[in-house]
Amino acid sequence: MAEFQLYCFAQSGNAYRAALMLNLIGADWEPVWVDFFSTMVQRTPEFRNDVNEMGEAPVLVHGKKKLTQSGVILTYLAKCTGKFKPEGEDEELEALRWIIFDNQKVNGFLGPFRFLKNFAKPSGDPAVLAFLKGRAEGNLAIVNKRLTGRKFLVSDKPTIADVSMTGYFYYPADEFGFDIAKNYPAIGAWLERMKALPGWKHPYELMPGHPLKQS
Ligand SMILES: N[C@@H](CCC(=O)N[C@@H](CS)C(=O)NCC(=O)O)C(=O)O
């Protein structure tokens, strides 16, 4: 058995943050596939009792520890290994600030937008899609401005804030109907820097369940 198990699925940018971090730090890890779309295991009482009371992926298991919320998982892995760890209190707080902004306002809008556009049955109400897209685009512009003239979000080295922010950004442009890397050039350049890190993999290669079987 591998040292770490990660409950995840290929279409989840929230889980990708944790899977990418595990790969970037060279951890011995294995995925546990969450059948999110078909059996919707995450909504069963068993999953909520035994795996995550919040009913979400990702979940990281490390021996007796079970951690949820990608920001918590990233913080834990950075503390365990010293890799992608913000240095000192100011950087730690700055990383936390970007992780919260990402979870709530960047990938926090982009993820549900992509879900409603591609996977929801019935597919999302156009007004809801327009609202989510507008909020995601506004916040992508904020991230783009932050990354203009900077290599990474918090310091001149990549930290867990950068790993978190990658969330949904590498999924194909046709899943969003717009190209994040092209429309936001500073984000595009930063995505290339992240991609160049040893251990980087695309979410569809890193986690199980792609392509999705149509039911
Ligand atoms: N803030 C959480 C978000 C996790 C999340 O929303 N995960 C989705 C999958 S991408 C989920 O499991 N949703 C439960 C459901 O819709 O039933 C994190 O970053 O870990």
Side-chain angles (χ1 to χ4, degrees), residues 20-21 29 41 50 55 61 67 73 84 98 108 119 121 127 144 151 153 170 177 196 203-204 206 209:
L20 178 62
M21 177 74 174
W29 73 282
V41 66
D50 303 340
V61 181
L67 299 173
I73 295 170
F84 299 94
W98 283 99
F119 306 116
K121 284 185 187 146
N144 193 64
K151 280 170 79 179
L153 281 169
Y170 288 111
Y204 283 151
L206 198 51

Side-chain angles (χ1 to χ4, degrees), residues 68-125:
T68 81
Q69 290 297 332
S70 59
V72 170
I73 295 170
L74 292 175
T75 303
Y76 175 73
L77 292 172
K79 277 195 177 153
C80 285
T81 62
K83 295 180 182 169
F84 299 94
K85 193 173 172 297
E87 294 303 331
E89 191 187 42
D90 287 351
E91 274 193 22
E92 271 170 27
L93 294 174
E94 195 59 6
L96 182 58
R97 192 165 80 97
W98 283 99
I99 288 171
I100 292 172
F101 184 68
D102 166 35
N103 271 242
Q104 189 191 359
K105 297 276 193 73
V106 186
N107 285 293
F109 285 121
L110 200 55
F113 167 69
R114 172 174 163 274
F115 172 78
L116 290 179
K117 189 169 170 3
N118 296 278
F119 306 116
K121 284 185 187 146
S123 63
D125 181 318

Side-chain angles (χ1 to χ4, degrees), residues 147-169:
L147 285 169
T148 301
R150 288 176 164 266
K151 280 170 79 179
F152 297 102
L153 281 169
V154 170
S155 78
D156 57 358
K157 290 189 299 236
T159 67
I160 50 174
D162 297 282
V163 179
S164 179
M165 192 62 80
T166 61
Y168 285 88
F169 291 10

Side-chain angles (χ1 to χ4, degrees), residues 9 12 14 17 36 42-43 55-58 69-71 103 168:
F9 58 100
S12 170
N14 290 309
R17 300 180 179 116
F36 184 87
Q42 77 282 1
R43 297 201 181 169
E56 293 180 333
Q69 290 297 332
S70 59
N103 271 242
Y168 285 88

Side-chain angles (χ1 to χ4, degrees), residues 1-8 22 27-32:
M1 199 200 237
E3 184 182 355
F4 296 94
Q5 285 79 43
L6 182 71
Y7 286 76
C8 61
L22 286 163
D28 173 28
W29 73 282
E30 63 194 357
V32 179

Side-chain angles (χ1 to χ4, degrees), residues 126-144:
V128 176
L129 279 164
F131 169 79
L132 292 172
K133 182 168 185 266
R135 296 308 303 267
E137 286 180 324
N139 295 319
L140 283 165
I142 290 173
V143 177
N144 193 64

